[in-house]
Amino acid sequence: MFIKSIFLYVFIFMHSPVFGYSDNYKIPDNHLTKLSKEIAKEINIARKDPQKYVLILEEFKNKYDGKSLKLLNKKIITTKEGTRVVDEAIKFLNKISSMPPLKFSSGMSKGARDHINDISSTNITGHKGKDKSLPGIRINRFGEWKLAVGENICYGFNTAREIVIWMIVDDGFPTRGHRINIYRSDFRFVGVALQEHPLYEFICVITFAGEYLDTNN
């Protein structure tokens, strides 16, 4: 646990289902940058309008057959909890109010990109880099965070909506830490990076902070 002054450091690892990787499917870097911003925008939709996401999750439930789930790309994955966890997420969303949007940070996104490059080249998982760095250290390479910092990592999804849905549903994680990070009231900034992964097909790293000052624009 990394502590900065008296402020809490929170980070969550999300291990999504494993998909096969194909060398024939390449996404241009400029599209990945655009998709990263779309993910941040989708997070803000979920924060600003929880009731809209209730409707989205209700529709998402139709993609389940028991514990099997069909994704937009027609792939079928096996979940751990089935629709029970979706119902739980809906109940959570029905209890919360609209929250302020997160500000997109290029510095925090660069910190997320550093971690993606690190774990993609080594096939390690989790929040600690091969240099032992943690999320707060990585985003401080391009600015300075204050108050609170967090990180979500999601493997295997490559659309903004599915990534955000999967974090809110948080299948297989009893603490629902990814969902909590999305809806933490003390987070005000977000950074996002997405990249193809040699084992899991895609990896998305999302960083959060209470306050953040970009120093390298």
Side-chain angles (χ1 to χ4, degrees):
M1 186 72 69
F2 177 92
I3 302 292
K4 182 172 182 179
S5 187
I6 61 172
F7 304 120
L8 177 64
Y9 186 102
V10 178
F11 52 91
I12 300 296
F13 168 61
M14 187 173 202
H15 193 128
S16 296
V18 175
F19 303 125
Y21 177 78
S22 171
D23 287 330
N24 295 322
Y25 188 55
K26 297 292 185 182
I27 295 181
D29 287 343
N30 61 342
H31 180 74
L32 290 173
T33 300
K34 179 182 178 182
L35 184 54
S36 294
K37 293 182 178 180
E38 289 176 357
I39 294 166
K41 181 179 179 180
E42 192 70 21
I43 290 172
N44 281 334
I45 291 173
R47 283 173 61 94
K48 183 178 180 180
D49 194 351
Q51 288 305 306
K52 178 175 182 176
Y53 250 79
V54 167
L55 298 177
I56 290 170
L57 292 187
E58 289 285 5
E59 182 179 352
F60 186 68
K61 283 174 59 178
N62 297 327
K63 301 179 183 296
Y64 282 81
D65 181 7
K67 290 189 176 181
S68 296
L69 172 64
K70 182 180 286 188
L71 304 178
L72 289 176
N73 59 11
K74 307 302 181 183
K75 289 182 178 178
I76 297 176
I77 64 174
T78 300
T79 66
K80 293 183 179 180
E81 301 180 69
T83 57
R84 180 187 67 81
V85 68
V86 184
D87 289 331
E88 178 203 297
I90 289 171
K91 288 181 181 178
F92 171 87
L93 294 176
N94 277 325
K95 292 178 180 178
I96 63 174
S97 302
S98 177
M99 303 181 71
L102 302 174
K103 297 179 181 179
F104 186 82
S105 164
S106 60
M108 291 172 62
S109 298
K110 290 174 183 176
R113 173 68 65 183
D114 274 3
H115 194 44
I116 281 184
N117 291 337
D118 189 4
I119 59 183
S120 294
S121 64
T122 60
N123 281 338
I124 61 175
T125 58
H127 299 278
K128 184 179 290 186
K130 63 183 179 182
D131 61 354
K132 309 301 181 183
S133 66
L134 291 172
I137 294 174
R138 290 188 291 270
I139 65 174
N140 268 2
R141 295 168 183 165
F142 307 98
E144 182 180 12
W145 70 267
K146 294 181 179 179
L147 300 182
V149 64
E151 181 178 87
N152 285 0
I153 304 178
C154 185
Y155 292 85
F157 297 92
N158 66 342
T159 69
R161 177 142 296 176
E162 283 187 331
I163 287 170
V164 175
I165 287 175
W166 199 244
M167 289 189 296
I168 293 173
V169 170
D170 222 357
D171 180 87
F173 294 87
T175 63
R176 311 304 186 208
H178 307 93
R179 184 191 302 164
I180 290 170
N181 274 352
I182 293 290
Y183 289 102
R184 278 184 59 169
S185 60
D186 54 345
F187 285 154
R188 292 287 189 252
F189 291 83
V190 66
V192 184
L194 181 79
Q195 184 171 299
E196 292 174 320
H197 190 278
L199 180 60
Y200 300 109
E201 193 165 321
F202 294 97
I203 176 173
C204 178
V205 175
I206 302 172
T207 56
F208 303 90
E211 292 185 6
Y212 189 79
L213 177 63
D214 280 280
T215 56
N216 294 322
N217 296 317

